[in-house]
């Protein structure tokens, strides 16, 4: 671990390389022990990050996964859209496990409030798209798109307004929301949610940029937990089947107000195969028989919506592209154990046209790797698979996941 930490340096980021759910939460939790400030930059409760500790599962949507470690500062950056009842619920759940994070929570006044009406608009727009085009984007219906629409239109309400009276503004907004989307804003309920959040969070809406920069000047370290993933990025993803935020490292730095030259490393997280939730292209999608097996073995059901995830093989050109966009310094290849019973592992290495992938077939290892923590213990073919990925992408696989549990991770020097 010490060798890995010195190669990561004081400002490290964890960024998804595929379509999300790669296992960013798990690696963030493992590394968080060694960092002072853990930060989320963008997105909202569309994220679902799972950690398993001693068999107990914890799922985070807004708080970064590192917050189970006591004494760490938790930053929610300006790029985020915050559904306050969800945030309170997460804080409360942690409290029930004996972890109080309020006094170490730093919320950017520039982050936007995501209201219940945003969720309703999200649902209404999905329905409209399904009706008009036969299919929606397959959003998480957490209100993400509509909240960022308000932000881009410059009518969003930010966390700096917590504790202030915004009833008039909401009532004014209600007319247009009803007219445009047929959605009624329940002003009383939205105001009650604001009051409840103010009661818990007052004093925690703080200049997060100053907090992080003064921390850095005092020798503190920062771990950035990305949400969503590069192929879901609003600019660089498989548009229009993407989310509404910038999910790359550049987006994360922007969302936090950290300069690019502060960053010392960027870990790309990719499954040993690939999954996607929602609509959109997936060149290396598996046939149903394979997909069923992987879905069952890998527990491939959304952490936020419970939807079955579509399953496919790795696609090297995508990994290379996401490595280029993010400047990955390390890979965390996750869920290697899920491939243990595959006699052959396919990897997309190129494509004939946009519609057909060309595959390499890698011999499987057909031996359990579950729970392994040493690279040398891996079956030879599993090692070869990792070497193959490193060689094809030019990025070293520093971390390799072999199970859900916090301990089930190989740290390869
Ligand atoms: P995130 O959104 O990137 O944090 O990922 P999710 O939590 O949505 O989905 C990843 C799922 O895979 C979770 O259920 C994790 O517990 C699980 N997971 C993570 N790493 C591994 C691994 O190496 N092996 C196995 N079997 N499961 C893993
Ligand atoms: P984490 O952080 C997987 C997907 C949705 C949909 C598209 C747009 O857990 O990796 P949105 O609700 O954002 O407007 O939906 O993006 N999506 C995710 N898929 N993991 C996520 O987050 C996701 N966040 C959004 O399924 O296809
Ligand atoms: Mg997830």
């Amino acid at each position: 671990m010490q060798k890995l930490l010195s190669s990561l340096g004081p400002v490290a980021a964890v960024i998804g390389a595929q379509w999300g759910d790669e296992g960013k939460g798990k690696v963030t939790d493992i590394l968080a022990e060694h960092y002072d400030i853990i930060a989320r930059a963008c997105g909202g409760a569309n994220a679902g990050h799972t950690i398993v500790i001693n068999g107990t599962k914890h799922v985070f949507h807004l708080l970064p996964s590192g917050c189970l470690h006591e004494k760490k500062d938790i930053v929610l950056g300006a790029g985020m859209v915050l559904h306050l009842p969800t945030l309170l619920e997460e804080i409360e759940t942690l409290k029930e496990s004996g972890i109080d994070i309020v006094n170490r929570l730093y919320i950017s006044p520039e982050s936007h409030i995501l209201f219940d009406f945003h969720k309703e608009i999200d649902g209404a727009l999905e329905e409209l798209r399904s009706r008009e085009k036969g299919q929606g984007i397959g959003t998480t219906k957490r209100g993400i798109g509509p909240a960022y629409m308000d932000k881009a239109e410059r009518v969003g309400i930010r966390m700096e307004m917590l504790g202030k009276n915004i009833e008039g503004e909401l009532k004014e907004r209600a007319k247009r929301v009803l007219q445009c989307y047929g959605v009624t804003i329940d002003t009383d309920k939205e105001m009650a949610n604001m009051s409840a959040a103010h009661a818990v969070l007052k004093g925690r809406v703080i200049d997060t940029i100053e907090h992080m920069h003064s921390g850095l000047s005092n020798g503190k370290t920062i771990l950035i937990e990305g949400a969503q993933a590069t192929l879901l990025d609003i600019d660089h993803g498989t548009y229009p089947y993407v989310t509404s935020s910038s999910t790359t490292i550049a987006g994360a730095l922007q969302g936090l107000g950290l300069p690019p030259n502060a960053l010392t490393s960027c870990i790309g997280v990719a499954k040993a195969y690939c999954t996607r939730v929602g609509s959109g292209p997936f060149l290396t999608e598996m046939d149903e028989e394979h997909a069923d097996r992987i879905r069952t073995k890998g527990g491939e059901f959304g952490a936020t919506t419970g939807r079955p995830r579509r399953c496919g093989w790795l696609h090297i050109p995508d990994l290379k592209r996401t490595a280029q966009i993010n400047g990955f310094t390390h890979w965390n290849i996750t869920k290697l154990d899920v491939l243990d019973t595959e006699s052959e592992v396919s990897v997309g290495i190129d494509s004939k046209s946009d519609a057909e992938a060309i595959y390499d077939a890698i011999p499987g290892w057909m031996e359990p790797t579950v729970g392994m923590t040493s690279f040398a213990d891996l079956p030879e073919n599993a090692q070869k698979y990792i070497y193959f990925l490193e060689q094809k992408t030019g990025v070293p696989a520093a971390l390799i996941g072999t199970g859900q549990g916090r301990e089930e991770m190989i740290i390869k020097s």
Side-chain angles (χ1 to χ4, degrees):
M1 177 60 92
Q2 220 43 53
K3 222 168 159 183
L4 172 67
L5 290 173
S6 61
S7 77
L8 291 176
V11 183
V14 169
I15 297 288
Q18 298 165 324
W19 283 288
D21 304 328
E22 297 90 348
K24 297 175 291 293
K26 179 182 156 186
V27 63
T28 301
D29 168 62
I30 291 172
L31 293 175
E33 188 186 340
H34 309 280
Y35 284 81
D36 301 310
I37 300 173
I38 323 295
R40 262 274 315 258
C42 295
N46 46 350
H49 297 176
T50 316
I51 303 174
V52 177
I53 302 168
N54 300 326
T56 305
K57 185 167 144 179
H58 306 261
V59 182
F60 295 100
H61 299 289
L62 289 170
L63 293 171
S65 309
C67 63
L68 287 175
H69 296 274
E70 309 264 352
K71 294 190 185 140
K72 309 292 176 183
D73 289 354
I74 302 297
V75 167
L76 302 181
M80 290 191 75
V81 286
L82 300 173
H83 182 245
L84 296 174
T86 304
L87 182 57
L88 294 195
E89 208 178 296
E90 278 184 41
I91 291 171
E92 196 48 41
T93 306
L94 279 177
K95 214 172 187 175
E96 282 161 16
S97 339
I99 300 169
D100 196 347
I101 63 146
V102 173
N103 291 328
R104 49 193 176 91
L105 190 58
Y106 297 79
I107 305 173
S108 168
E110 298 163 346
S111 58
H112 282 243
I113 300 174
L114 186 152
F115 292 93
D116 282 346
F117 74 82
H118 289 124
K119 293 210 233 180
E120 287 187 47
I121 296 174
D122 196 354
L125 288 176
E126 273 291 271
E127 222 172 87
L128 189 71
R129 283 188 285 259
S130 295
R131 250 199 336 266
E132 286 180 345
K133 298 186 179 168
Q135 104 171 327
I137 293 169
T139 73
T140 59
K141 300 201 179 148
R142 293 300 186 272
I144 306 300
Y148 282 112
M149 276 155 58
D150 277 2
K151 175 174 171 173
E153 196 191 340
R154 286 146 292 172
V155 296
I157 298 173
R158 310 200 296 181
M159 280 302 279
E160 64 198 351
M161 296 306 283
L162 192 72
K164 307 220 165 77
N165 189 353
I166 57 159
E167 199 174 354
E169 208 170 327
L170 282 178
K171 282 196 167 141
E172 192 53 41
R173 183 76 62 80
K175 291 181 212 154
R176 193 138 70 95
V177 165
L178 182 62
Q179 202 179 29
C180 293
Y181 308 106
V183 164
T184 306
I185 299 185
D186 184 340
T187 322
D188 292 342
K189 187 164 145 247
E190 302 286 15
M191 286 307 295
N193 287 345
M194 286 283 278
S195 301
H198 183 237
V200 177
L201 300 173
K202 62 174 173 284
R204 304 319 307 166
V205 182
I206 289 169
D207 184 347
T208 46
I209 295 184
E210 177 54 30
H211 181 71
M212 284 185 293
H213 284 267
S214 64
L216 283 175
S217 320
N218 292 318
K220 292 211 168 162
T221 56
I222 302 179
L223 178 64
I224 302 166
E225 180 184 26
Q228 289 72 56
T230 308
L231 299 179
L232 288 172
D233 182 80
I234 182 87
D235 294 308
H236 305 298
T238 47
Y239 192 90
Y241 299 100
V242 294
T243 189
S244 303
S245 60
S246 298
T247 58
T248 60
I249 183 57
L253 294 170
Q254 164 71 6
L256 287 170
L258 286 174
N261 62 0
L263 190 76
T264 50
S265 60
C266 185
I267 302 172
V269 190
K271 282 176 189 169
Y273 48 98
C274 191
T275 62
R276 161 161 222 178
V277 205
S279 319
F282 191 171
L283 196 62
T284 53
E285 193 158 10
M286 289 167 180
D287 59 61
E288 252 329 291
E289 185 204 324
H290 271 105
D292 268 347
R293 196 162 64 230
I294 296 288
R295 189 177 299 117
T296 306
K297 196 138 191 271
E300 296 298 356
F301 297 89
T304 298
T305 59
R307 290 179 290 178
R309 295 177 183 144
R310 297 160 65 191
C311 298
W313 303 108
L314 276 186
H315 190 227
I316 297 291
D318 282 349
L319 291 185
K320 279 167 82 169
R321 193 169 173 83
T322 58
Q324 283 173 335
I325 291 170
N326 294 289
F328 291 144
T329 52
H330 307 68
W331 283 120
N332 172 200
I333 302 294
T334 65
K335 305 189 103 163
L336 186 71
D337 55 294
V338 176
L339 298 180
D340 285 353
T341 48
E342 299 299 315
S343 55
E344 195 174 86
V345 178
S346 298
V347 185
I349 49 157
D350 204 346
S351 55
K352 272 187 204 151
S353 59
D354 277 353
E356 208 184 326
I358 299 170
Y359 292 97
D360 255 11
I362 314 279
W365 41 96
M366 301 295 275
E367 275 176 65
T369 63
V370 183
M372 284 190 176
T373 53
S374 149
F375 188 75
D377 291 344
L378 282 181
E380 196 184 338
N381 283 351
Q383 292 190 8
K384 280 189 180 159
Y385 185 50
I386 298 294
Y387 287 139
F388 175 82
L389 301 181
E390 290 182 324
Q391 187 251 324
K392 289 283 181 194
T393 60
V395 177
L399 297 127
I400 300 157
T402 58
Q404 281 196 293
R406 192 186 247 177
E407 301 73 23
E408 295 174 313
M409 185 75 92
I410 292 170
I411 297 175
K412 172 172 157 290
S413 56

